[in-house]
Structures are given as structure tokens and as C-alpha cells.
Amino acid sequence: MMPYSEEESRALLERAKKFFGPAPSEGTRSCSPLSSTSAAPSNSCLSPTHLLNLVGVPASKSYTESWIKNSSSQNKMNETYCYEISQNEKTIDKNQELVRSLKYQIRMLEEQGDSPALIDSKRNEMLLYQKKISDAEAALINRGPCPIETCTKHHEITKDASMEVESGQYGNHYSDFKLVSPKKAAKIRNDVIKSPIKTSNKFNELTNLDENKPLIPTINLKMDANYNLILQEINRLYPETENKLIRGFINIKTNSLENREGIINLLKKNGKEFILSESNEDRPLKVVIKYLPVDQDKDALKNILEENGFKILRIGQLKNYRLKTPYPYFLVDVIKTPNHLNIYNIKTINHLKVKIESYRKKNRATICFKCSGFHHSAKNCECLPKCIKCAGRHETRNCEIKTIIENPICITCNGEGHLASWRGCPKFPKINKTPAKSTYAQKLKINLTPHIPPTNSEKITEPAEHLSNSDTGDFQEIRNALQTVKNALNEFPNLLEISKLLNKAKDKFEKLNLLIQLIN
């Protein structure tokens, strides 16, 4: 065999240095065969020169080069296998998380009673993820363990290997591992499971509330002589109802819509009078559209709003009832849908600029057009009809009296001269207006202003400063007129009775006779 040339030896030495690392220095200890796990000395303990001497034996130059090349390709192959194992493990973890999420969704859908088609689609999706998990596990089994023994992802560090790393004799000189002093090193502590501290929460009951539970409208039963019998029947059929007396009506509260419908049918069957409460979701949104023409067609306006995606219940035009003239304002009842609030975004109708505002209801009691009762509407009234004009068993709009009644009788207080809709009636409900609350600045200003009591001289001179001579003369004239009326009443005691009869007189002769009776 021909010896290597100087250039070939130098090139082979450089390749050995790159692959095996630098040679150990003269001051270091020699590799002991007793410290190695195998009988043969490790390649890392040999210098590149020794390796060249080994390859200089009849093994040939091509053998050494092929050995170095095979070792490099084997390392790359091992790294590829390690990467594939890591990817399969990530696939298993990801799909297991998706399977857990789908199991929870299927359980919630079954509890809510959702459609079977949706549940089946979720189950098919879960089977797809489970198949991916089984394929990845089969790939791991076929691949086997990680071929890189020093891989920390797939192999645990043994005790002997850790000792070698700590000793520094056989460790990798190019690793980032650094030895620290025992004072700076973290101490290994055993995980002790501590018992949870018992605490008390007085608001714990609020966590059991169902915020999405819909409010069920109540039923208001009108009081009568046999109300106890119908309540006993309701309690026997629907024992979970609650009854409460409010303003002459028995407020019946149910726990489900089915029970509510059953109680309504029972009351209708027994001929009872009652009024239904309306939930906030069923009440329409009332808005006012301003600045349209006074003669705007209501049907055309309804079609325009419905083309924009709104459901319109009714449209009415506001009027001045004293002058009997219409306003250019239209009251619109919009059924509540997911987009019903978008009606406020409308700026033009028929190329005219308009303004849409919420309807501001007057602060007074409403009257039913069916039974002439208060605090409810005819839409929810199940009472017997009662005419406000003649007290007949029919609605007011169906009454035969179409003219103005000269001396009407109130069906509420039985008084004469007014109808039940007159706000001056003693039985007309009075709604207390809450006074506006004063601000903090106003209260502070009142408290800071010093109160100076007036003196005696100020009390005497104050009326004289505010009352002028003309005011004093007017007061004197009013006093004289009242005195004259008082004297006339004393002289003619039947003056009030005859004045009432004069209003009912039909002709002049009847009025003249009444005046003669007054003189006599």
C-alpha cells in the first residue's frame, strides 16, 4: 500500500478534527478503559493523529472515508426519525384536545334537546379525529424508540450519564451546561398537597340563578264572590302557582308557559273575567316619525318600512283633539326583531329628511276601549264589554249614541255631568309625578347660603312694597262682588236649584216659568 502524501494527510487530519473534536492536551488525564461502559476505548478519547495511524494499517484510505461518510449520514437519519416521532406526538396531543372538546359539545347539545342532525355531525367529526390519533400511534409503534440516546425529549437521563456530565471528564465540551455553587442552586422540594381553605360566600346563592330564564307574564283574575273556588281548582291542577291580591285583581304567577295556557283555558271555560299581562319582549317598539307630509298615506309608509326589513304592527297619525287637526307626526308600532333598533338609523323617506324618536307616553292612566277599565289595553282584556256612554254590555265604538250627551252619567263614580274618561272624576286614577331630584351642587348651595330671619320692621313693610294701589282696588272689588252673591243667596234660597233646572230647560217658556218661581 502506498503511504499518504503530506497534503492528503493534512486534509484527512482536518476532517478528523471537525468530526471528533480537538485532541486532548498533554496536561489532561488519559482515557481509562475502566471508566467506559464498553471494553473498547471510545473514539472521542483518540487523537486525530492516532486515528490516522489506525487507518494507516492495511485497512486502506477508502475505508476510512466511507466510514466517516456513513457516520454523518446516519446522524442525519437519526435526526429525521426524532423529528418524525415529535410530529406524531404533537398530532396525537392536538387531536385528543379536539376529541375532548367535541365530547363536551355533544353532551351539552343532548341536554338542551338540540336537533339530532347536528349531534350526528359532531360525532362524525369526533370519529375523524380519533382515526388520526390511531394512525399516529400506529406510526410511533412501527418507528420504534428514538435512535438518539442523548435526546432529552424521548429518553430519560440515567444516573451514570448525569454523573459523567457533572464530572466534566466525558461530557460535551461545546454544551451550554454550567456548574453553579450549591448556594445558588435551587433545592429540590417535595410537592405537598395542601388541603383547601374553607371559605364562606354570602353571595353564593346568586351563582344558581338562571339569567337566560325568560319571565313568564302573569294572569290578573277579577275578584268576585266565588273567587276561592276557582283558586282551589287552579291550585289542584297547578300546585306551583303563586297568587297575590293587587288593586282588586288576583295576580296569578305560573312557572311555565304551558301552565299559563292551561289556566287561561280553565278561566275561559268557567266564564271568569281576567286581564293578561304582557312581557317586555312581546310589546312593540313605539317610535314617532316627524317631518313627513300631513297627507302621507299610511299604507305606503308601512310598505316602505317593511321593504327595509322591519315588521310593522300598526301606524297612526297624531292629532290635536281640541282643534281636530292632524300633526305631521306618525306613531309606528315596530315588532321586536334582531334588527328592530336599526329603525333609528333611517334619515330619509321618499327623499325627505325625517327624524325618528322614541314615543314619549303621557304620564296618566290608560283606559281600556273594551271594558272601560284602567291600567290595561283592549288587546289583553278578557273582561265583559262595557260602554262608557250608556253602561251597556257592548264596546263604546259599537254604541248607538253618536251625538254629544248633555248630562252624561259616569259608570265609575255614578256622578252626573261627566264620563269615566274625564280626569277630574274622583275615581280616575291619579299617578304621582316624582319630583326631580336636586343635584349635589344645588344642595350644597342651599346649605352654604346663610338664613337671615327678617326683623319686625321688614315684616311690616314687605306687603306694602309688593302690593300696589291697583292690586288693592281689584281685591276690594272682588270682595264686594262676593258679598253681593252671598246676600242674593240669603234672599233667594232656591237660587241654586233653579239654576240647575235652567240648564235642563228645553224652550224659553220653561225658563221663564222657572224665573217666576224664583221671584215668588
Side-chain angles (χ1 to χ4, degrees):
M1 176 181 175
M2 296 296 293
Y4 295 122
S5 63
E6 185 177 357
E7 294 180 357
E8 292 176 345
S9 300
R10 188 179 295 106
L12 191 58
L13 179 62
E14 293 297 328
R15 291 181 64 184
K17 284 182 180 180
K18 292 181 180 179
F19 185 79
F20 294 101
S25 61
E26 295 179 356
T28 57
R29 293 184 299 169
S30 61
C31 296
S32 175
L34 298 176
S35 62
S36 176
T37 55
S38 62
S42 174
N43 292 335
S44 61
C45 297
L46 300 178
S47 66
T49 308
H50 294 162
L51 291 172
L52 290 177
N53 293 333
L54 290 176
V55 299
V57 295
S60 79
K61 175 182 177 182
S62 60
Y63 173 81
T64 305
E65 293 178 348
S66 64
W67 181 82
I68 295 173
K69 185 177 180 180
N70 292 336
S71 299
S72 173
S73 62
Q74 184 66 30
N75 290 337
K76 293 181 180 180
M77 188 179 299
N78 292 342
E79 292 177 358
T80 304
Y81 289 164
C82 180
Y83 176 76
E84 292 178 356
I85 293 172
S86 300
Q87 290 299 113
N88 288 328
E89 290 175 348
K90 290 180 181 179
T91 302
I92 293 172
D93 295 339
K94 180 180 178 181
N95 287 279
Q96 284 179 348
E97 185 66 26
L98 293 172
V99 168
R100 283 194 294 269
S101 177
L102 284 173
K103 286 182 178 180
Y104 175 76
Q105 294 178 15
I106 291 171
R107 186 171 68 254
M108 294 300 295
L109 291 174
E110 290 177 349
E111 292 178 357
Q112 296 175 0
D114 215 319
S115 61
L118 181 60
I119 296 175
D120 292 340
S121 65
K122 295 289 183 182
R123 286 177 177 169
N124 294 334
E125 186 179 357
M126 185 176 66
L127 292 176
L128 179 63
Y129 294 142
Q130 289 176 347
K131 186 177 182 303
K132 291 182 180 180
I133 293 172
S134 61
D135 294 343
E137 290 177 348
L140 286 177
I141 294 173
N142 295 333
R143 178 65 63 190
C146 180
I148 302 176
E149 297 181 357
T150 58
C151 178
T152 58
K153 295 182 180 179
H154 308 114
H155 296 287
E156 294 182 358
I157 301 176
T158 60
K159 186 175 181 180
D160 295 339
S162 63
M163 291 176 63
E164 291 178 0
V165 172
E166 291 176 0
S167 64
Q169 183 178 356
Y170 306 107
N172 187 4
H173 296 281
Y174 296 99
S175 64
D176 295 333
F177 180 80
K178 295 181 180 180
L179 293 175
V180 295
S181 63
K183 293 183 178 180
K184 296 183 179 180
K187 296 180 180 180
I188 301 175
R189 298 180 181 180
N190 297 328
D191 295 334
V192 180
I193 301 175
K194 298 181 180 180
S195 60
I197 301 173
K198 295 182 179 181
T199 58
S200 60
N201 183 9
K202 61 181 179 179
F203 301 105
N204 191 28
E205 295 296 332
L206 297 178
T207 58
N208 300 326
L209 297 178
D210 190 1
E211 297 180 355
N212 298 325
K213 186 177 180 180
L215 297 177
I216 300 173
T218 58
I219 305 171
N220 302 288
L221 176 62
K222 191 173 182 179
M223 286 282 293
D224 58 4
N226 299 323
Y227 75 91
N228 193 25
L229 298 178
I230 191 65
L231 290 182
Q232 289 179 4
E233 184 69 14
I234 292 174
N235 190 29
R236 184 180 63 83
L237 297 175
Y238 311 99
E240 295 183 358
T241 56
E242 296 180 4
N243 306 320
K244 187 178 180 181
L245 183 63
I246 301 175
R247 279 190 238 171
F249 287 85
I250 300 173
N251 185 268
I252 303 174
K253 184 178 180 181
T254 61
N255 61 343
S256 65
L257 293 174
E258 293 78 9
N259 293 348
R260 182 175 183 267
E261 293 296 329
I263 294 175
I264 291 173
N265 295 332
L266 179 63
L267 295 177
K268 289 181 178 179
K269 182 179 178 181
N270 289 272
K272 297 295 181 180
E273 298 183 81
F274 59 93
I275 299 169
L276 299 175
S277 298
E278 194 175 15
S279 62
N280 190 28
E281 290 77 11
D282 296 334
R283 295 177 183 175
L285 174 68
K286 294 181 178 291
V287 296
V288 177
I289 302 178
K290 296 183 177 181
Y291 311 132
L292 283 174
V294 179
D295 56 350
Q296 172 68 42
D297 187 16
K298 299 177 185 177
D299 295 333
L301 178 60
K302 183 178 180 181
N303 294 332
I304 293 172
L305 296 176
E306 288 179 347
E307 288 176 358
N308 292 329
F310 303 105
K311 293 184 179 180
I312 307 302
L313 184 62
R314 67 174 67 88
I315 296 179
Q317 190 172 6
L318 302 182
K319 297 180 181 180
N320 187 336
Y321 286 97
R322 291 184 179 180
L323 303 177
K324 305 298 181 182
T325 56
Y327 287 121
Y329 304 149
F330 293 85
L331 177 62
V332 182
D333 290 353
V334 186
I335 298 176
K336 291 184 179 178
T337 56
N339 64 334
H340 70 280
L341 293 178
N342 293 337
I343 195 170
Y344 292 106
N345 299 331
I346 297 178
K347 302 300 180 184
T348 58
I349 295 178
N350 287 339
H351 307 288
L352 295 176
K353 186 176 180 181
V354 296
K355 186 176 182 182
I356 299 179
E357 298 178 349
S358 299
Y359 175 66
R360 291 174 290 186
K361 183 181 177 182
K362 294 183 178 179
N363 191 18
R364 63 184 181 186
T366 57
I367 187 168
C368 177
F369 294 152
K370 182 180 179 181
C371 69
S372 301
F374 296 100
H375 304 295
H376 68 275
S377 61
K379 182 177 66 173
N380 301 318
C381 181
E382 296 293 337
C383 298
L384 296 176
K386 191 175 183 179
C387 180
I388 201 173
K389 297 180 181 179
C390 63
R393 285 301 178 185
H394 56 265
E395 296 184 13
T396 305
R397 59 184 175 181
N398 298 329
C399 184
E400 296 179 355
I401 302 175
K402 303 299 181 181
T403 58
I404 299 175
I405 304 174
E406 295 183 358
N407 191 22
I409 298 176
C410 178
I411 62 174
T412 307
C413 68
N414 296 326
E416 296 181 359
H418 66 274
L419 296 174
S421 58
W422 183 49
R423 282 182 285 176
C425 176
K427 294 292 184 70
F428 193 89
K430 302 295 188 298
I431 297 178
N432 298 326
K433 296 182 179 180
T434 55
K437 295 183 179 180
S438 57
T439 61
Y440 177 76
Q442 293 173 348
K443 292 180 180 180
L444 186 63
K445 184 177 181 181
I446 294 173
N447 295 332
L448 294 177
T449 303
H451 178 68
I452 302 174
T455 59
N456 295 333
S457 60
E458 292 177 351
K459 290 181 181 179
I460 295 172
T461 57
E462 185 177 359
E465 293 177 357
H466 294 284
L467 293 178
S468 61
N469 295 330
S470 60
D471 295 336
T472 306
D474 294 340
F475 177 75
Q476 189 67 26
E477 291 179 359
I478 295 172
R479 182 176 177 277
N480 295 333
L482 292 175
Q483 187 66 32
T484 305
V485 173
K486 182 180 178 182
N487 296 334
L489 291 174
N490 294 332
E491 186 175 356
F492 303 100
N494 57 348
L495 179 60
L496 294 176
E497 298 178 359
I498 293 176
S499 61
K500 293 180 180 179
L501 296 175
L502 286 173
N503 293 329
K504 298 180 181 180
K506 297 181 180 179
D507 51 7
K508 297 180 179 180
F509 296 100
E510 188 176 353
K511 293 181 180 180
L512 182 60
N513 293 332
L514 291 174
L515 293 174
I516 293 172
Q517 292 178 9
L518 178 63
I519 298 172
N520 295 334

